[in-house]
Amino acid sequence: MAAIIILLICLHLCTADLGIMEINRIPCAHDNWSGNDRFMKHHLHPDTPTTTDIEEWTKFIKKINCCSRVMQSFLNPEQTSKVEQVCTEAGGKVFQPNNNLCISKDKFTFIEVRVSSDECKVFKVSNVTQNIILGCDRFREKCLPVHFESNSNNKTPQKSDTNCGSALEVWN
Ligand SMILES: *[C@@H]1O[C@H](CO)[C@@H](O)[C@H](O)[C@H]1NC(C)=O
Ligand SMILES: *[C@@H]1O[C@H](CO)[C@@H](O)[C@H](O)[C@H]1NC(C)=O
C-alpha cells in the first residue's frame, strides 16, 4: 500500500510539469507558489552527481524518486544564481509569445540522462552545452524558473528579442 502511494506521488510530481501550458502566458506575470520548488528538486538538486557515471546517476534518480521521466536534465547546483538570472533582464530573452518561456543569453553545461522507467535505470548520460529554455513565473516578488523546456533544435536568442523579466516591472 505504502509503495503504491509513493508511486502515485512520484507519478504526480514527475508528470505535473508536463501539463499543457495555459495560453496567453508571458514570463514573470503569474504567481506560482510551487513551481520553483519543483524546478529546484528536478533540475538543480544539491546532490546532483558531478560525473557522467551511469551507476552513480541510477543511484541518484532512485534516491530522488524520479524514475518515470524518461529524459531528465540537471543543471549544476553551483550555478543556481546564474540559472535564476535567466528569468531576469540580465540573463534571459523572452523565447516565444503567449508562453512563460525565456531563453538564456549564455550557454550552460548540464547533464541529460535517459531513464528506462520500468527498471528505474539510467542508460545514457550526456554532457550538453547549449542555451537553456526555462518557464518563468512570479514567486515572492521575484521571477524564478518553474519549468525546464528541452531545446532540441539548439535555439539561441536574437539580440532584438525582448529581455526576460520586463513584465515584472509592470507589477512592481
Ligand atoms: C507553476 O509551474 C508549473 C511548471 O511549469 C506549472 O505546471 C503550473 O501550472 C504553474 N502553476 C501556476 C499556478 O501557474
Ligand atoms: C562536461 O563538459 C565540460 C566542458 O566540456 C567539462 O568542464 C565538465 O567537467 C563535464 N562534466 C562532466 C560531469 O563530465
Side-chain angles (χ1 to χ4, degrees), residues 58-117:
T58 297
K59 268 191 233 158
F60 172 70
I61 294 295
K62 280 186 177 152
K63 192 176 82 179
I64 65 167
N65 246 316
C66 263
C67 304
S68 65
R69 306 207 307 176
V70 292
M71 196 174 110
Q72 306 185 37
S73 301
F74 293 88
L75 293 148
N76 182 347
E78 283 174 16
Q79 292 194 316
T80 300
S81 63
K82 198 172 178 228
V83 171
E84 287 178 350
Q85 279 202 351
V86 175
C87 292
T88 70
E89 302 194 43
K93 294 276 194 182
V94 173
F95 182 58
Q96 67 188 50
N98 293 333
N99 218 329
N100 67 343
L101 301 177
C102 291
I103 183 166
S104 64
K105 294 182 183 178
D106 293 338
K107 292 193 191 301
F108 282 78
T109 294
F110 59 94
I111 302 289
E112 193 177 87
V113 299
R114 278 161 214 269
V115 182
S116 138
S117 47

Side-chain angles (χ1 to χ4, degrees), residues 100-163:
N100 67 343
L101 301 177
C102 291
I103 183 166
S104 64
K105 294 182 183 178
D106 293 338
K107 292 193 191 301
F108 282 78
T109 294
F110 59 94
I111 302 289
E112 193 177 87
V113 299
R114 278 161 214 269
V115 182
S116 138
S117 47
D118 40 341
E119 306 163 275
C120 194
K121 268 196 173 155
V122 172
F123 63 89
K124 190 166 181 230
V125 182
S126 321
N127 191 351
V128 182
T129 300
Q130 62 174 195
N131 296 72
I132 54 171
I133 301 169
L134 304 179
C136 299
D137 283 337
R138 243 163 63 109
F139 178 57
R140 295 195 172 136
E141 305 305 316
K142 278 173 98 180
C143 184
L144 291 170
V146 297
H147 165 78
F148 187 101
E149 177 89 0
S150 97
N151 184 1
S152 42
N153 293 320
N154 218 352
K155 294 262 174 66
T156 55
Q158 305 296 306
K159 271 223 153 62
S160 59
D161 292 343
T162 310
N163 280 326

